[in-house]
Amino acid sequence: MRTILAIETSCDETAVAILRGAELLASEVASQTEHEAYGGVVPEVASRNHLVHAPRLLETALKKAGVVLAEIEAFAATSGPGLASSLMIGASIAKGLALGAGRPYLAVNHLEGHLLSPFFGRDEEISPNVSLIVSGGHTLLVEVRGVNDYRVVGRTVDDAAGEGFDKVAKLLGLGYPGGPEIERRAANGNAERFDFPRSMLDSRDHNFSFSGLKTAVRYRLAEFKAEAVTPQLIADMCASFQAAVIEVLVKKTLRAARECGEKLVTLSGGVSCNQALRKEMAERCGAAGIRLLTAPPRLCTDNAAMIAFAASLRFQAGQSSEVSEEIDPNLALV
Ligand code: KG4
Ligand code: ZN
């Protein structure tokens, strides 16, 4: 059984995981709340925090896994895309550990971590599928033919879906990250009160746009006097905004699956924690005779288990990276 330790520090989550074969022995995540006051991630604050959290999480993960460093057969880290100063922390630690232990180092693409996460913990091959990755930094539709055999068929032309949730939450005076808070408020809201735009729903390509939707929320909100901005109004805006995002994501994913001739759809990334999105995607896939695989919510937001899983597939295939391999903030999936 191969034992792999992975570190994820691409943005503001510090995470360490230890995977033995298919068994996840430990998966530690420390989220940073310091950024809330700024309404977004401050790179230097994030990297300083990684430097504090990562060693502590390493110790805890090893203890929880009941493993000593000498038993780890490969060390992996996210090498991009992400914030340069954040990526450097995790990659430096993993490289140092690999060098110290005389074991291989594996550089992992964060997007591949998300993309493969729906298969994690399932006893099945990575079979061809159309994958929707929806996170704070990315909105991608990918035709997956197997591990490392990807074709990006659609992407956002402006804001990522999660970025849309975060920016709209900020407009509405809600906390960061915005997704979970918008989902919570939307549960008590009327999704039909505001008819927000479904941008690019009928475009011929598989691309997305969420910037106009955010602007529409801003303009509608500005029509109300301060005293009229009640919790119910906020809930209705959240529900209407969320419904617009979900409709576009679900319809365009199904259209891409149809065009690619795939009978399997996978859903990953932080926004895929959203229960309303999961429900709508499941219903539409079911009606179209398409199977849907989603990762459990703890594997949807940033974590190191997905990085360890992607690394394990590479390692099993006899691959590893040079310790001189650079991080790449703009690393593409293909
Ligand atoms: O995958 P992730 O943890 O980090 C990136 O790689 O970007 O995704 C974070 C994003 C944030 O924008 C957050 O608002 C969004 O995922 N998110 C959600 C929910 N939970 C997290 N969006 C909608 N509904 C949620 N329940
Ligand atoms: Zn992510």
Side-chain angles (χ1 to χ4, degrees):
M1 285 290 178
R2 290 283 172 87
T3 308
I4 292 179
L5 186 150
I7 306 179
E8 152 66 40
T9 59
S10 64
C11 191
D12 60 341
E13 254 89 28
T14 320
V16 176
I18 300 173
L19 183 66
R20 175 173 287 158
E23 192 188 355
L24 185 60
L25 301 181
S27 179
E28 298 296 302
V29 182
S31 300
Q32 303 179 10
T33 51
E34 292 83 348
H35 307 280
E36 192 166 341
Y38 305 98
V41 178
V42 183
E44 189 182 324
V45 174
S47 48
R48 281 170 180 257
N49 279 328
H50 288 314
L51 206 48
V52 174
H53 292 155
R56 182 173 59 74
L57 295 187
L58 264 172
E59 280 186 337
T60 314
L62 287 165
K63 201 181 279 173
K64 283 195 181 167
V67 165
V68 291
L69 269 182
E71 292 174 71
I72 307 286
E73 286 157 87
F75 294 88
T78 305
S79 62
L83 297 169
S85 51
S86 285
L87 292 164
M88 279 182 213
I89 307 288
S92 302
I93 295 173
K95 287 179 179 192
L97 288 169
L99 280 171
R103 300 286 197 176
Y105 166 68
L106 289 130
V108 176
N109 187 314
H110 182 83
L111 294 170
E112 189 177 26
H114 277 306
L115 179 137
L116 296 173
S117 63
F119 289 94
F120 186 48
R122 294 177 204 267
D123 194 16
E124 63 179 280
E125 295 278 302
I126 311 290
S127 37
N129 66 85
V130 162
S131 170
L132 174 68
I133 309 174
V134 267
S135 71
H138 301 273
T139 304
L140 283 183
L141 264 174
V142 186
E143 186 183 9
V144 178
R145 298 193 198 92
V147 180
N148 210 14
D149 190 354
Y150 312 126
R151 186 171 72 93
V152 175
V153 294
R155 53 166 35 107
T156 180
V157 297
D158 41 52
D159 292 350
E163 191 179 357
F165 272 93
D166 295 336
K167 287 181 173 171
V168 166
K170 196 173 172 187
L171 280 175
L172 298 177
L174 309 176
Y176 173 86
E181 191 56 21
I182 289 191
E183 179 172 18
R184 204 173 64 75
R185 305 269 182 152
N188 303 316
N190 173 5
E192 280 158 27
R193 177 159 175 198
F194 300 103
D195 186 18
F196 289 134
R198 272 68 171 157
S199 307
M200 297 184 80
L201 184 58
D202 297 315
S203 68
R204 288 215 186 144
D205 54 27
H206 300 299
N207 289 338
F208 302 93
S209 163
F210 295 106
S211 162
L213 173 56
K214 169 197 64 193
T215 308
V217 174
R218 175 181 293 133
Y219 285 144
R220 290 298 272 135
L221 182 66
E223 290 170 13
F224 293 88
K225 292 206 172 80
E227 57 273 21
V229 181
T230 59
Q232 190 57 53
L233 178 90
I234 299 284
D236 293 345
M237 288 230 161
C238 287
S240 303
F241 163 78
Q242 183 176 275
V245 175
I246 291 175
E247 184 177 341
V248 177
L249 290 176
V250 171
K251 286 193 173 161
K252 297 205 84 163
T253 301
L254 282 169
R255 201 178 299 152
R258 245 192 329 269
E259 271 184 30
C260 295
E262 296 296 356
K263 285 287 173 202
L264 175 65
V265 161
T266 63
L267 177 61
S268 63
V271 180
S272 70
C273 285
N274 189 288
Q275 292 298 331
L277 169 62
R278 293 166 90 98
K279 187 163 171 276
E280 182 71 13
M281 190 70 93
E283 282 174 10
R284 294 293 189 117
C285 281
I290 288 173
R291 194 172 156 235
L292 172 68
L293 277 187
T294 42
R298 70 192 162 84
L299 293 184
C300 291
T301 47
D302 286 348
N303 66 88
M306 67 182 192
I307 304 301
F309 179 56
S312 74
L313 296 174
R314 292 286 164 96
F315 196 43
Q316 273 165 26
Q319 297 168 17
S320 65
S321 312
E322 298 291 331
V323 273
S324 56
E325 179 150 335
E326 281 206 72
I327 54 113
D328 181 353
N330 301 312
L331 189 62
L333 183 64
V334 278

